[in-house]
Amino acid sequence: VPSEYSGKKVLIEFESVYHNAEVYINGKKAAYRPYGYTNFYVDTEGLLKYEAQNEICVIARNSDQPNSRWYSGTGIYRPVYLWTGDKKYIPVNGIKIHTVSYMPAVIEVEIKTSCPGMVNVEILDKEHTVLTKKIENTGNPSVFRMEIPDAKLWDCDHPNLYTLRATFGEDVVEETFGIRLLEWRLENGLTINGKREILRGACVHHDNGVLGACTYPEAEARRVRILKENGYNAIRSSHYPCSKDLLDACDRQGMLVMDEYVDVWYIHKTKYDYVDYLQEWWQQDLKDMVEKDYNHPSVIMYSTGNEVAETAQKKGIELTGKMTDHLHKLDPYRPVTCGINIFFNFLSSMGMGVYSDDKAEKSAQSAKQEAEKKEKKKPVGSEFYNTLACLVGDYFMKIGATLPPCDWKTKDAFVNMDIAGYNYGLFRYRHDLKKYPQRLILGTETFCKDAYSFWEIAKKNKRILGDFVWSGWEYIGETGDGAAEYEDYKGKMPHTRMTGNNGRIDLLGKPRAEAAYTRVAFERETGPFIAVKPVYQKEKLNLTGWALTKALESWSWRGCAGEKAEVEVFARAAEVELLVNGKKAARGKVKKCRSKFHIPYEDGEITAISYDKNGHEINRQTLVTANEQTILHIKPEQETVQPGKLLFVPMQYGDFIGNWKPMEKHHLKVSVENGTLEGLGSACSYVEGNYAQDTVDTYYGEAMAVVRAGETDLVKITVCDEEKTYTREIPIVALK
């Protein structure tokens, strides 16, 4: 620590440490934070030595397993920042900006300073300074308004951003913001700058696939980009506050965010989860979450919890109101919701709840017995109901939610939030719109196959605000939700079941066929899109309610001629016709954007043609069988990479012109020159080893490497299979 830091304010910000973090500076305890998903600050006053070595010791205590229903990671998995301020400084989070109106464009700014004095405020767009204002701050927060002439507004299609630069003494602070007025009203629904926005949402977890739990700006930006390309305009951070990098990416790309606080309140879901700490810490946790979110135009609402059956109890109903009120005080400009599983609340009130302290204890004991005896444990708690949903399908949960007691055990909690969050409550929408004319409804968690039904209801009813599918992006952990997989991909022992295999986007970031269905259902595209169940797979799988299909967008099934092919077509149409090698193979009606046919397979090409109700062609799509020659295509997502940045490198077997060959199965070994291999894996739920090794088995002919580039020249990637070696070089180019 340099001597000039003496007398300065020095803070260390940990964006997240999982979990029960203790921070020591030169042997003295400086901070403690139990929650593993929120940022916290360490004041170093009186603890630092100047012109000398300092030791910062961070202890993450994560041996209390199980404490999460998904893969949490451990330790410091998000960035750490050092903040310094002289005697005259603007504190961390000392600037707040929100839009007052958009016609004309007026913002309200609140600025805190360490002492009275003059603050110079500038508003900048991408090209030049737009407006300058000097503010005399008395030491209390100064609140003032600024009109921005000829302003460019922020919304999903036009994510225009401005920068507020505040100068106080030698301290210069910049905050990015967008001009967007958010409103939620019974007559208009959810609007941004006066225009209704129906949320086409995706639930996402915090991990970055084969990169693990760590946060990387390139990975977060990529995730937002791919979700937007597949028709989504909103993300639900399931079930904890998301990273700053994700929020920055959403700001830049026009993705809306529901930022969620926690998965538990006072009833355990796993034996050692956050229940034991929440009562003491929830107010501070929410404060830190809001201060992180406040200036991000992408953040449009807060969620206080997920499937907390406590909302069926008097104590929980009161806590719902307390959290909502607390958030209103911290931020009166965004609504508050909570994701409630309506059916689970009813079961809980009957003493049959999915979650309880006793079930959490039994689940921990069962897992321990399985580990010690290598015996399969009996499903308990959420795993039991996930397994049940696998057997009886999504209809079971949705029809259960229509029972009258489900209404009785949720209505009081819904009164204590701005927007009623329905997990799997689609069948209640029409009924509740009539019964509760003052209620705004949001599908906080939904099944993929309900996308069409939701969209048609939402278009006609403005009090239906949107839908968040479970899950939008595949994630690590929570494998008890019944990952359906064919035997040839379950692998030889020892293997680990890493994912639940239910994301619309797979673990590598590739859209599954289900994503095409969603794009059609949400009227982002008309289709048709063809998806084919792997013809050689004869095994019948019991898909979970969360999975729509195992079909692949390929017609390359050589060796399967004459065998029955199950073909799905997704289209906004009245009818669909299939042609195989130019001959009619099938024709049928489209129901809820989806048709299914069983036809003999032939090598060659398959074409789907969609028709309107008058028999006029709307559109067509063709898939072709790959040629017999086979090579591995190494396909980096960028032509160049910046020094030290991540590069995502999908690998796919196909013919020489790039037609995919999903029947290819290979064992790959990957090496990198002038860079490092940060992660390697496939989209298969079953993994031999992990994602931190240099070998991988392909899954339907595919895998992906994530590489961190060196500083100059080229990154060289070498991939070897059983017979051949393939290489690819990517130039490293610094931004000017």
Side-chain angles (χ1 to χ4, degrees), residues 218-505:
E218 304 98 302
E220 301 286 41
R222 175 179 182 261
R223 174 157 47 176
V224 174
R225 172 180 59 80
I226 292 172
L227 286 169
K228 280 215 73 173
E229 290 170 352
N230 284 276
Y232 295 101
N233 68 353
I235 284 174
R236 177 191 182 199
S237 67
S238 327
H239 303 290
Y240 31 70
C242 57
S243 70
K244 294 182 180 182
D245 284 328
L246 181 61
L247 293 182
D248 288 341
C250 290
D251 288 347
R252 292 191 302 269
Q253 299 184 48
M255 180 70 79
L256 306 175
V257 178
M258 178 209 299
D259 212 3
E260 193 156 82
Y261 167 41
V262 77
D263 186 49
V264 295
W265 283 358
Y266 56 80
I267 297 175
H268 283 283
K269 292 182 180 178
T270 55
K271 183 176 180 180
Y272 299 107
D273 57 27
Y274 196 54
V275 164
D276 294 334
Y277 309 95
L278 181 128
Q279 192 58 40
E280 179 183 353
W281 284 94
W282 68 264
Q283 293 184 356
Q284 184 65 46
D285 290 342
L286 290 178
K287 178 178 182 293
D288 290 330
M289 182 178 81
V290 169
E291 290 187 344
K292 170 179 64 69
D293 289 354
Y294 194 93
N295 292 330
H296 289 279
S298 58
V299 178
I300 59 166
M301 72 177 71
Y302 303 111
S303 170
T304 55
N306 168 65
E307 293 191 346
V308 279
E310 293 91 328
T311 52
Q313 304 172 0
K314 182 178 179 181
K315 177 182 174 182
I317 293 167
E318 292 176 354
L319 183 56
T320 306
K322 289 179 180 179
M323 286 189 178
T324 298
D325 290 343
H326 188 59
L327 283 167
H328 285 166
K329 292 175 183 176
L330 295 168
D331 182 353
Y333 308 110
R334 291 179 173 96
V336 178
T337 187
C338 181
I340 296 180
N341 190 307
I342 299 170
F343 185 45
F344 285 2
N345 266 32
F346 163 57
L347 294 177
S348 179
S349 70
M350 296 291 290
M352 300 184 294
V354 179
Y355 309 113
S356 69
D357 294 350
D358 180 58
K359 288 179 180 177
E361 176 67 33
K362 288 181 179 178
S363 179
Q365 291 177 356
S366 180
K368 183 178 180 181
Q369 291 170 2
E370 180 182 30
E372 291 176 349
K373 300 180 181 180
K374 305 299 181 183
E375 296 176 353
K376 182 169 178 60
K377 65 185 179 74
K378 295 180 180 180
V380 180
S382 63
E383 184 175 354
F384 170 78
Y385 282 91
N386 286 333
T387 303
L388 184 62
C390 179
L391 296 174
V392 301
D394 59 293
Y395 186 80
F396 165 76
M397 194 179 298
K398 290 185 293 187
I399 198 65
T402 65
L403 298 173
C406 293
D407 180 22
W408 306 338
K409 293 300 177 181
T410 54
K411 61 185 179 68
D412 292 333
F414 283 147
V415 169
N416 281 347
M417 58 186 82
D418 301 308
I419 297 169
Y422 284 35
N423 281 17
Y424 310 110
L426 177 72
F427 289 175
R428 293 203 64 91
Y429 288 1
R430 296 187 190 279
H431 172 271
D432 289 359
L433 284 169
K434 293 179 180 179
K435 185 173 182 180
Y436 298 103
Q438 302 301 309
R439 181 181 291 181
L440 296 171
I441 296 173
L442 176 65
T444 36
E445 206 165 304
T446 63
F447 295 110
C448 178
K449 64 186 65 173
D450 292 334
Y452 172 85
S453 297
F454 147 73
W455 187 250
E456 295 304 306
I457 294 173
K459 285 193 299 184
K460 300 172 184 176
N461 297 278
K462 293 183 178 180
R463 288 193 287 123
I464 302 294
L465 303 189
D467 171 282
F468 287 85
V469 69
W470 192 269
S471 63
W473 194 290
E474 191 61 70
Y475 58 95
I476 303 175
E478 204 174 8
T479 58
D481 57 6
E485 188 54 83
Y486 296 107
E487 286 296 329
D488 63 332
Y489 277 117
K490 287 188 175 179
K492 300 175 182 178
M493 294 296 287
H495 66 251
T496 302
R497 190 159 137 195
M498 301 284 266
T499 75
N501 201 23
N502 60 26
R504 309 291 76 77
I505 312 296

